Amino acid sequence: MTAPEARLPARAPGPAPAPLPARPSRRRASADWPLVIAVLVLLLIAQGALGPLLLGTGWWWLMAIVSSVVLLGSAGLRRLGLSAALMPLAGFGMLLAALTLVFGAGTGLLWLIPSLDTLDRFRELTVDGAISVERQGTPADAVPGILFLLCVGAGALAILAYALAVIARVPALAGLPALVPLLVPGLIRSGGAEPAALALAGAAYLVLLRVDVRMSGTRHAARPSAGPGAPRVFSPVRRRGPGPLWGALGVGGVALAAAMVLSVAIPAFPGNGVAGRPSSALLFGNGVSPMINLGEDLRRPTARPVLHYRTTATRAPYLRLLTLDEFSGRDWSSRLFPSNSANTVDKIALPPGLLNSVAVTETRTNIVVDGLSARWLPIPAPARSITGLAGAWYWNGSNGSITSPNDTTRGQEYTVIALNLAPTRDQLRGSGSDYPSSVQRSLRLPADSPPRIAETARQVTAGTDTAYDAALALQTYLRGEEFSYDTEAPAKAGFDGGGVDVVSTFLEVKTGYCVHFSSAMAVMARSIGIPARIAVGYQPGTLSASSSIAGTGRYSVDSHDLHAWPELYFAGVGWVPFEPTPGRGALPEYTRTMDAAQTPGGQGGTAGSARPGITDDPAATDPGARGGSADTRQEPVTVLRLILVLVGVIALLLLPAIGRVERRRQRRRRILAGRAGAAEAWQELTDLAVDHGIPVRATETPREFAARLRSLPGLAPPGERPGEPSGEPQRAPP
């Protein structure tokens, strides 16, 4: 008699006990509540990992409400007897009702059932949310469109988690939906996911596994014995080795440690995201602040080619991507405007506010994109028409940007007919302060702006009589000898970006790069009543003297030509660019003479440049001075790093299988060496059965379990398989 059989009670004679009646599914559903609560806690903690990307906490509460409605509502319907096959559909219905109540603006029937107007409302919110995610910086303002997308995502993850944990009975896989919000910060922020968020989520995942272990034990103990007449055993044999709790802790600990390592080890996107798009592929597609991301690209030791062009302009133009006209006090962003399909780029309207009295000349610029992938088209501004583009592109009359809802700039070749504005100083001085309502938005400043900004602006512009003279005074002040250009100092000292606190610090330390100079001039201009915004794009680039065709040279633009400059509004002229950054860019013609008179030679030598249109950055004409020659401009390929990450993920997924194979090997070695007995052999048999999806019931005897194994297809001994001859010798018939 084997050791497990020695503890069996004697079988009592008599008829076999009647099998226990099956309990209704409602009792099983009521036992799911601990598991549902554990899944909900895991999702809520994982959603909190999005905190560094969004302002405030209201978005988390809204996501928590939606997740709770879907999960708890699904558990309630299951408790009432709804079929498991209908649970995903029921969860979707509850999500739709919650979205209609919160975001439907009263368009739904009984506030819960969506109507056609509700669906239109959802479509508008989706478009607004997508545009906001694409254009806002981090931490972003959780506008209604972003809130809608967050709630849709929270509900979808809750439906998936419930299906995996409760319906499919694989709670360990319920951690996959929770990985989505945990991984998003690592895809956007250079520092990866927050370790505290990972630790809390890992602890919640271990609790979920432990709840599943306890519930699994309860379900097994409640099952009747298999087979008629089988004894009911209430004290299962205690197994040797680590129990379910320690197994859960081990698996969860390994997964948690691997997640923390991967969040730090995964290669970063240029400008804070992950994986390996080209450097200027670019600033805005991953929702990262363009002002911060611009600095990241400028600090890269090796520049990457972006585009090249030829132009008929006498001065090579700046190439504008977009304008940032919304200022929250912490960051600059572009006002959100959905694409208007009527605004095709073959005929673009004149810039708002431009009078016929302002002298303009048309220029023709042929642009070939080399390494830029963005939804904002780099153009000399203001543009009048664009030809040769692939895909659907539209112009925006408020900020002058050219955008596409579905296409990117990668591989584009196009021709831009643009206007070169040449306002006179008298025209700029004669502009009044009667600004249209769309422009007055560009006067807004936060109420809690540091007083140093306005005080400095008033001191610098004291004695000026017009807005133009005040703008010149601000530009001259920032280009003065007190200020210096440095891309590294702001990042090291911790005042990078363009918020009011950053501007206040910059005016104190007087060192920074184009982001700080442009932000300082724009904020100071607003503080004294001049509408201002920031343009982001590229400097004219480097002229190749040996590539002239028909009198037009070829200009090459790379990622180190990224630039930000302020634009101020003057009635009758429109938005006028200025250049406050010393040593970078080219001074506009309407400011060069006065600036040169006040600062001999012009700051950085631009006023005396022998070749108009060439930037005054010494590195602009010397590729080697900006981090490498033309042959060494490409950064190392990131494919190898991606392969290593993929191998790491696969190895992480294989860890449980590797551990199981190693344990089996050690057991077999101990058994063959005579150092282990029947108990360990029995343990290996039951573990092997679990590996193959065969449940091991705590109420079964070893004999009953062996009989059940024999009844399974393919597991009967050779002599007992249907259709096979037995191993006993055949006797001849008499």
Side-chain angles (χ1 to χ4, degrees), residues 411-430:
Q412 297 279 4
E413 298 185 22
Y414 52 98
T415 301
V416 183
I417 303 299
L419 298 180
N420 181 26
L421 305 183
T424 64
R425 294 179 180 83
D426 291 337
Q427 288 173 330
L428 293 172
R429 286 194 176 97

Side-chain angles (χ1 to χ4, degrees), residues 112-124:
L112 295 175
I113 303 174
S115 62
L116 293 179
D117 292 337
T118 307
L119 298 181
D120 289 339
R121 170 73 175 163
F122 287 174
R123 181 185 59 80
E124 294 174 0

Side-chain angles (χ1 to χ4, degrees), residues 290-350:
M291 304 298 276
I292 297 294
N293 219 358
L294 192 153
E296 294 289 337
D297 276 343
L298 289 178
R299 282 187 285 270
R300 291 181 179 276
T302 304
R304 288 185 170 184
V306 173
L307 56 87
H308 64 273
Y309 68 94
R310 299 179 185 275
T311 183
T312 60
T314 56
R315 289 170 54 88
Y318 281 40
L319 303 176
R320 189 173 68 190
L321 282 165
L322 82 163
T323 55
L324 309 175
D325 51 3
E326 290 289 321
F327 187 48
S328 65
R330 299 185 61 178
D331 203 0
W332 292 87
S333 62
S334 183
R335 204 180 312 172
L336 306 178
F337 293 100
S339 299
N340 186 346
S341 58
N343 294 347
T344 56
V345 296
D346 56 337
K347 187 176 182 180
I348 303 174
L350 287 170

Side-chain angles (χ1 to χ4, degrees), residues 76-137:
L77 292 177
R78 181 66 174 150
R79 177 73 176 84
L80 295 176
L82 187 65
S83 171
L86 298 177
M87 291 310 303
L89 185 60
F92 177 76
M94 284 182 289
L95 172 59
L96 201 58
L99 295 175
T100 304
L101 177 63
V102 177
F103 297 99
T107 58
L109 304 177
L110 301 178
W111 295 81
L112 295 175
I113 303 174
S115 62
L116 293 179
D117 292 337
T118 307
L119 298 181
D120 289 339
R121 170 73 175 163
F122 287 174
R123 181 185 59 80
E124 294 174 0
L125 288 171
T126 301
V127 172
D128 291 345
I131 295 175
S132 183
V133 167
E134 195 170 19
R135 298 186 181 181
Q136 280 204 73

